[in-house]
Protein backbone atom coordinates (compact mmCIF):
# COMPACT_ATOMS: atom_id res chain seq x y z
CA UNK A 1 0.00 0.00 0.00
CA UNK A 2 1.58 3.25 -1.11
CA UNK A 3 -0.63 5.69 0.74
CA UNK A 4 -3.43 7.92 -0.49
CA UNK A 5 -3.45 8.38 -4.25
CA UNK A 6 -5.14 11.26 -6.06
CA UNK A 7 -5.70 11.68 -9.78
CA UNK A 8 -5.16 13.72 -11.75
CA UNK A 9 -2.37 15.81 -10.18
CA UNK A 10 -3.27 18.83 -12.25
CA UNK A 11 -6.42 19.80 -14.13
CA UNK A 12 -6.97 22.87 -16.27
CA UNK A 13 -10.53 23.39 -17.41
CA UNK A 14 -12.63 26.06 -19.02
CA UNK A 15 -15.27 27.81 -17.00
CA UNK A 16 -18.57 25.99 -17.24
CA UNK A 17 -17.09 22.54 -17.77
CA UNK A 18 -17.52 19.64 -15.37
CA UNK A 19 -14.53 18.00 -13.69
CA UNK A 20 -14.14 14.82 -11.66
CA UNK A 21 -11.31 13.92 -9.31
CA UNK A 22 -10.51 10.50 -7.90
CA UNK A 23 -9.08 9.50 -4.53
CA UNK A 24 -7.85 6.03 -3.56
CA UNK A 25 -7.42 5.86 0.23
CA UNK A 26 -5.32 3.47 2.27
CA UNK A 27 -7.24 0.23 1.94
CA UNK A 28 -7.85 -0.46 5.64
CA UNK A 29 -8.97 3.13 6.37
CA UNK A 30 -12.74 3.41 6.61
CA UNK A 31 -12.87 7.21 6.82
CA UNK A 32 -12.25 9.42 3.82
CA UNK A 33 -12.20 13.23 3.71
CA UNK A 34 -12.15 15.90 1.04
CA UNK A 35 -10.65 19.33 1.68
CA UNK A 36 -10.00 22.37 -0.47
CA UNK A 37 -7.00 24.64 -0.03
CA UNK A 38 -6.29 28.01 -1.60
CA UNK A 39 -2.96 29.81 -1.60
CA UNK A 40 -1.85 30.94 1.83
CA UNK A 41 -4.76 29.29 3.63
CA UNK A 42 -5.25 26.13 5.61
CA UNK A 43 -7.30 23.26 4.21
CA UNK A 44 -11.05 23.83 4.32
CA UNK A 45 -13.37 20.90 4.99
CA UNK A 46 -15.71 19.83 2.19
CA UNK A 47 -17.13 16.43 3.09
CA UNK A 48 -16.35 13.06 4.67
CA UNK A 49 -17.35 9.43 4.43
CA UNK A 50 -17.37 6.53 6.81
CA UNK A 51 -17.26 3.52 4.54
CA UNK A 52 -19.77 4.33 1.79
CA UNK A 53 -21.92 6.68 3.90
CA UNK A 54 -21.44 10.41 3.41
CA UNK A 55 -21.74 11.63 7.00
CA UNK A 56 -21.19 15.34 6.65
CA UNK A 57 -21.07 17.96 3.94
CA UNK A 58 -19.87 21.51 4.48
CA UNK A 59 -22.52 24.21 4.31
CA UNK A 60 -20.05 26.09 2.14
CA UNK A 61 -20.32 23.41 -0.51
CA UNK A 62 -22.66 24.46 -3.27
CA UNK A 63 -25.00 22.10 -5.12
CA UNK A 64 -22.47 22.03 -7.95
CA UNK A 65 -20.24 19.80 -5.82
CA UNK A 66 -20.98 16.13 -5.30
CA UNK A 67 -18.95 13.31 -3.85
CA UNK A 68 -19.38 9.57 -3.84
CA UNK A 69 -17.65 6.61 -2.32
CA UNK A 70 -19.18 3.50 -3.87
CA UNK A 71 -18.54 0.29 -1.94
CA UNK A 72 -16.53 2.21 0.62
CA UNK A 73 -13.36 2.11 -1.44
CA UNK A 74 -12.24 4.93 -3.77
CA UNK A 75 -14.05 8.26 -3.85
CA UNK A 76 -14.83 10.77 -6.56
CA UNK A 77 -15.46 14.49 -6.25
CA UNK A 78 -17.32 16.13 -9.11
CA UNK A 79 -17.66 19.83 -9.72
CA UNK A 80 -20.30 20.83 -12.24
CA UNK A 81 -20.30 24.10 -14.20
CA UNK A 82 -16.93 25.14 -12.84
CA UNK A 83 -16.28 28.76 -11.90
CA UNK A 84 -13.01 30.63 -11.55
CA UNK A 85 -13.51 30.64 -7.79
CA UNK A 86 -13.26 26.86 -7.80
CA UNK A 87 -9.56 27.11 -8.63
CA UNK A 88 -7.76 25.51 -5.69
CA UNK A 89 -5.91 22.44 -4.50
CA UNK A 90 -8.34 19.62 -3.69
CA UNK A 91 -6.97 17.32 -1.02
CA UNK A 92 -8.15 13.86 -0.07
CA UNK A 93 -7.26 12.17 3.21
CA UNK A 94 -8.10 8.94 4.96
CA UNK A 95 -7.94 7.74 8.54
CA UNK A 96 -8.28 4.43 10.30
CA UNK A 97 -10.82 5.51 12.87
CA UNK A 98 -12.20 8.57 14.58
CA UNK A 99 -9.61 10.62 16.47
CA UNK A 100 -6.69 9.25 14.46
CA UNK A 101 -4.30 11.24 12.33
CA UNK A 102 -5.06 11.69 8.66
CA UNK A 103 -2.97 10.48 5.75
CA UNK A 104 -3.23 12.98 2.92
CA UNK A 105 -2.77 12.50 -0.78
CA UNK A 106 -0.68 14.88 -2.86
CA UNK A 107 -3.76 16.72 -4.05
CA UNK A 108 -5.31 17.71 -7.36
CA UNK A 109 -4.62 21.27 -8.42
CA UNK A 110 -7.57 22.69 -10.36
CA UNK A 111 -7.24 25.77 -12.52
CA UNK A 112 -10.40 27.17 -14.07
CA UNK A 113 -9.72 29.53 -16.98
CA UNK B 1 -14.30 28.89 8.86
CA UNK B 2 -10.89 28.54 10.48
CA UNK B 3 -10.92 27.30 14.05
CA UNK B 4 -7.25 27.62 14.81
CA UNK B 5 -4.98 30.60 14.53
CA UNK B 6 -1.27 29.99 14.30
CA UNK B 7 1.28 32.47 15.51
CA UNK B 8 3.56 33.68 14.05
CA UNK B 9 2.39 33.63 10.44
CA UNK B 10 6.01 33.38 9.32
CA UNK B 11 9.22 32.45 11.07
CA UNK B 12 12.80 32.53 9.82
CA UNK B 13 15.63 30.93 11.81
CA UNK B 14 19.13 29.59 11.37
CA UNK B 15 19.86 25.88 11.15
CA UNK B 16 20.43 24.43 14.60
CA UNK B 17 18.11 26.87 16.37
CA UNK B 18 14.79 25.90 17.90
CA UNK B 19 11.49 26.90 16.31
CA UNK B 20 8.32 27.48 18.31
CA UNK B 21 4.88 27.84 16.78
CA UNK B 22 1.68 28.52 18.66
CA UNK B 23 -1.92 27.66 17.95
CA UNK B 24 -5.03 29.04 19.59
CA UNK B 25 -8.53 27.67 19.14
CA UNK B 26 -12.02 28.66 20.17
CA UNK B 27 -14.12 25.72 21.29
CA UNK B 28 -13.82 22.43 23.17
CA UNK B 29 -11.77 19.75 21.42
CA UNK B 30 -11.24 15.99 21.49
CA UNK B 31 -7.69 16.29 20.19
CA UNK B 32 -5.32 18.66 18.43
CA UNK B 33 -2.98 17.63 15.64
CA UNK B 34 -0.03 19.21 13.88
CA UNK B 35 0.72 18.77 10.18
CA UNK B 36 3.56 19.83 7.90
CA UNK B 37 3.15 20.83 4.26
CA UNK B 38 5.99 21.30 1.85
CA UNK B 39 5.29 23.73 -0.98
CA UNK B 40 2.64 22.46 -3.35
CA UNK B 41 2.38 19.06 -1.69
CA UNK B 42 -0.04 17.21 0.57
CA UNK B 43 0.05 17.47 4.34
CA UNK B 44 2.01 15.10 6.55
CA UNK B 45 0.75 14.19 10.00
CA UNK B 46 3.32 14.99 12.71
CA UNK B 47 1.73 14.44 16.10
CA UNK B 48 -1.64 14.13 17.84
CA UNK B 49 -2.31 15.23 21.41
CA UNK B 50 -5.57 14.35 23.13
CA UNK B 51 -7.50 16.76 25.31
CA UNK B 52 -6.49 14.94 28.50
CA UNK B 53 -2.78 15.15 27.66
CA UNK B 54 -0.54 18.13 28.39
CA UNK B 55 2.68 17.29 26.58
CA UNK B 56 3.87 14.87 23.93
CA UNK B 57 7.19 14.20 22.25
CA UNK B 58 8.15 12.66 18.93
CA UNK B 59 11.79 12.81 17.91
CA UNK B 60 12.75 16.50 17.68
CA UNK B 61 9.13 17.58 18.14
CA UNK B 62 7.53 18.62 21.41
CA UNK B 63 3.87 19.57 21.61
CA UNK B 64 2.09 21.08 24.57
CA UNK B 65 -1.62 21.60 25.08
CA UNK B 66 -3.29 23.95 27.54
CA UNK B 67 -7.04 23.39 27.35
CA UNK B 68 -7.74 26.13 29.90
CA UNK B 69 -6.14 28.69 27.58
CA UNK B 70 -7.28 26.86 24.43
CA UNK B 71 -3.78 26.89 23.05
CA UNK B 72 -1.03 24.58 21.88
CA UNK B 73 2.59 24.98 20.93
CA UNK B 74 4.87 23.02 18.63
CA UNK B 75 8.60 23.12 19.33
CA UNK B 76 11.08 21.83 16.76
CA UNK B 77 14.52 21.46 18.30
CA UNK B 78 17.82 21.67 16.43
CA UNK B 79 16.10 22.69 13.20
CA UNK B 80 17.39 21.65 9.80
CA UNK B 81 16.97 23.14 6.35
CA UNK B 82 14.68 20.21 5.55
CA UNK B 83 12.25 21.47 8.22
CA UNK B 84 11.40 24.41 5.94
CA UNK B 85 7.65 24.07 5.34
CA UNK B 86 4.26 25.33 6.45
CA UNK B 87 2.98 23.96 9.73
CA UNK B 88 -0.74 23.70 10.52
CA UNK B 89 -2.59 22.91 13.68
CA UNK B 90 -5.90 21.11 13.33
CA UNK B 91 -8.57 20.47 15.92
CA UNK B 92 -11.16 17.75 16.22
CA UNK B 93 -14.01 19.56 17.90
CA UNK B 94 -16.08 17.94 20.61
CA UNK B 95 -19.35 17.04 18.94
CA UNK B 96 -17.91 18.26 15.67
CA UNK B 97 -18.46 15.05 13.76
CA UNK B 98 -14.86 13.84 13.74
CA UNK B 99 -13.61 16.09 10.96
CA UNK B 100 -10.52 18.25 11.51
CA UNK B 101 -10.65 22.02 11.31
CA UNK B 102 -7.35 23.55 10.22
CA UNK B 103 -5.71 26.83 11.13
CA UNK B 104 -4.08 29.28 8.80
CA UNK B 105 -0.54 27.93 9.25
CA UNK B 106 2.95 29.12 10.11
CA UNK B 107 5.53 29.33 7.33
CA UNK B 108 8.87 28.22 8.70
CA UNK B 109 12.09 28.93 6.85
CA UNK B 110 15.31 27.39 8.15
CA UNK B 111 18.40 28.95 6.64
CA UNK B 112 21.83 27.39 6.40
Amino acid sequence: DTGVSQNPRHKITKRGQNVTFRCDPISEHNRLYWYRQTLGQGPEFLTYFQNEAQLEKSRLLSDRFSAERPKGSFSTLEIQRTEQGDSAMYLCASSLEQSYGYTFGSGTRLTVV
Amino acid sequence: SQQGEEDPQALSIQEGENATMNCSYKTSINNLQWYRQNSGRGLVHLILIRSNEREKHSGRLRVTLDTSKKSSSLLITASRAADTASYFCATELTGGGNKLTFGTGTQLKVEL
Side-chain angles (χ1 to χ4, degrees):
Chain A
D1 197 341
T2 57
V4 177
S5 176
Q6 289 190 249
N7 289 288
R9 290 294 307 275
H10 303 275
K11 178 72 176 179
I12 300 174
T13 190
K14 292 184 178 179
R15 190 172 52 188
Q17 297 293 305
N18 298 345
V19 294
T20 300
F21 310 140
R22 177 178 171 126
C23 172
D24 288 89
I26 292 174
S27 56
E28 57 265 29
H29 287 185
N30 61 30
R31 291 172 183 258
L32 185 148
Y33 311 83
W34 284 99
Y35 282 78
R36 176 172 64 189
Q37 186 179 28
T38 54
L39 196 63
Q41 298 296 314
E44 178 183 41
F45 172 77
L46 294 179
T47 188
Y48 91 93
F49 295 82
Q50 181 174 327
N51 300 313
E52 66 275 9
Q54 187 174 19
L55 296 188
E56 188 172 344
K57 186 175 175 180
S58 169
R59 289 170 293 174
L60 302 173
L61 213 58
S62 78
D63 291 342
R64 297 184 295 106
F65 287 72
S66 62
E68 293 183 338
R69 193 184 181 194
K71 303 178 184 177
S73 55
F74 71 93
S75 176
T76 58
L77 177 68
E78 181 184 17
I79 309 173
Q80 296 182 326
R81 305 180 302 282
T82 52
E83 303 172 356
Q84 285 190 321
D86 297 331
S87 294
M89 174 78 88
Y90 289 83
L91 295 164
C92 175
S94 66
S95 70
L96 184 61
E97 293 179 12
Q98 182 173 348
S99 300
Y100 273 62
Y102 291 5
T103 300
F104 277 87
S106 297
T108 293
R109 183 169 295 283
L110 173 67
T111 302
V112 181
V113 297
Chain B
S1 62
Q2 308 275 198
Q3 151 84 331
E5 294 286 337
E6 281 93 337
D7 170 57
Q9 287 189 320
L11 179 61
S12 183
I13 60 174
Q14 298 294 312
E15 199 172 45
E17 295 181 336
N18 296 341
T20 299
M21 287 159 265
N22 302 297
C23 169
S24 59
Y25 58 92
K26 298 173 184 174
T27 58
S28 179
I29 62 172
N30 293 331
N31 64 72
L32 184 145
Q33 304 180 28
W34 286 89
Y35 288 80
R36 183 186 75 227
Q37 184 176 38
N38 291 90
S39 180
R41 307 291 295 274
L43 286 81
V44 174
H45 179 255
L46 296 177
I47 198 164
L48 180 154
I49 186 165
R50 302 189 190 280
S51 59
N52 61 353
E53 297 175 313
R54 292 297 167 258
E55 188 170 315
K56 209 160 182 182
H57 297 255
S58 177
R60 295 183 296 112
L61 306 181
R62 172 178 170 256
V63 169
T64 61
L65 178 65
D66 186 334
T67 53
S68 67
K69 295 181 180 178
K70 293 187 170 58
S71 67
S72 174
S73 67
L74 170 68
L75 169 67
I76 304 173
T77 60
S79 62
R80 306 166 182 168
D83 295 327
T84 295
S86 292
Y87 291 81
F88 294 91
C89 71
T91 50
E92 183 184 298
L93 307 183
T94 303
N98 172 227
K99 66 181 183 292
L100 291 179
T101 304
F102 285 82
T104 51
T106 292
Q107 283 190 305
L108 173 65
K109 183 175 183 181
V110 181
E111 299 185 87
L112 295 170

